[in-house]
Amino acid sequence: MSKSLCCFLLCFLVLFSFCSARQQNECSISRFNAQRPSNQIQSEAGVTEVFDHNNDQFQCAGVAVVRYIIEPNGLLLPSYVNAPQLMYFVQGRGLQGVLVTGCPETFQSFQESQEGQQQGREQQGQQGQEQQEQQEQQQGREQQGQQGQEQQGQQEQQEQQQGREQRGQQQGREQEGQQGQQFRGDQHQKIEEVREGDVFAVPTGFGHFIYNNGNRRLTVVSVVDISNQANQLDFQPRRFYLAGNPQNEFQQQQEEEEEEQQQQQQGQQQQRREQQGREGQQQQQQQGEGNNIFSGFDAESLAEAFNVDVQIIRKLQGQNDRRGNIIKVQGGLQAVLPPRRQQEQQQDDPLYAQGNGYEETICSMKFRQNIGDPRRADVYTPRGGHRSSVTGYDLPVLRRLVQLSAHKAHLYQDAVTLPFYTGNANSVIYVIRGSARIQVVKEQGETVANEEIQQGQVIVVPQNFAALIKARDSGFEYVAFKTHENARINTLAGNLSLIRAMPVQVIASAYQTSDSQARQLKHNRQESTIGAPGSASRSQYRASA
């Protein structure tokens, strides 16, 4: 018993040390550079731009980054991912749908059923008029029958009555059929309107799609947290498309990584390739040319599962579809939506955002919040800029299913973010507009980044690494994705900083300064997060001292 326990503990320690070393190896890099997309996939109605998730800094943060550019009337095909993702809508507007198995179709096109009822009432009115005319004709015939043709009139009356009943029954059946067709208006799960500045959370395994119903391009940046505990496979992002024949945005990078691993294992390399080739040929014969999740099944089994014809299944499998993962919707997408004013009122309602005292169910969970509106800023400096954030406190789905958060900042010309670090999360910074100089420092004062970052670039700031950002003349806007639902940002300068929390004597002794210099370090910067340019704040404490 004791020997087996010792062996178990030894194996556990070896495994733990291996995992720890793996994490250290992933983040043991000496230089970070701002990244641009390494791969572009052109589709019928847009472009998918993929950042290389095998890059050292993305491996360190455990994330994958993708940017979608969707043309008007373009639809990003429905899919789901093996890890939670957080999306930021950079520009444009559109519709976002989240697909959850087991949730009801709460959006119904009642307008069509009301039109059917109105047509039914009009048909009933026409039938009433016809019956009244027929009754008047019948009375005239009865008067003629009283003048000597009573028997013939009665026979005609019976025939007419039977004819009316048959016509009434036929019209009733037609009316019921028309009303049934009108009542079968579309029903689907909730679809939300999205716009610039929105953050949208999609939990692991939830299906989703995006449609551009605006008149300009819709740009969306998605960060997939592949190191999240919800991903129990490996550290590879995997997107499972539900429709079409799209090229998987992560497939090329995965194949390159697999080739590198195969080259290191020359002993089994040839056998593995032959086996993969045979399997690939078999799969290609079975699935034809499709590349979605249904393509791998044989058509007959799917036809039985859906209870439809095999020809429909071949369309479901995306065979001979060359449109890519962003397709053009002919005639536009017609969907059932509540009035936008009602959506905005719900978003402004604190009870709707925080819950109503009961546990929020998955089906009624809120997935979206806007952080692009300056009027909702959490931090504001008149000459420096503003910042808005969304955390698990604001959006419960982040706390319960996603474990991610984000903040969006706008720095004015020459403004600066006071030196900061995130104590419990990695940060993935995407540049929305403008340019800035960013400096990132690791332990022992080693600089890992000191460069200019521009629109469309991405850079990672690892957990507890300190960073400072200074905007250029054009200003600087960025969104930072955090790998924790309640990211804790700590500042090193300003009125809420660690330096401000120290006694003057500790500062003077630690930095070998006079008490006056220590007070300047502690009090001269009065802002908390974003510093305004110029020297006004530097002279403030000297004047009062």
Side-chain angles (χ1 to χ4, degrees), residues 415-427:
V416 62
T417 62
L418 305 184
F420 68 94
Y421 65 94
T422 305
N424 59 348
N426 299 307
S427 301

Side-chain angles (χ1 to χ4, degrees), residues 473-489:
D473 293 342
S474 58
F476 185 64
E477 290 186 57
Y478 70 92
V479 57
F481 301 87
K482 306 284 186 174
T483 57
H484 192 282
E485 67 271 20
N486 295 311
R488 187 177 66 252
I489 299 177

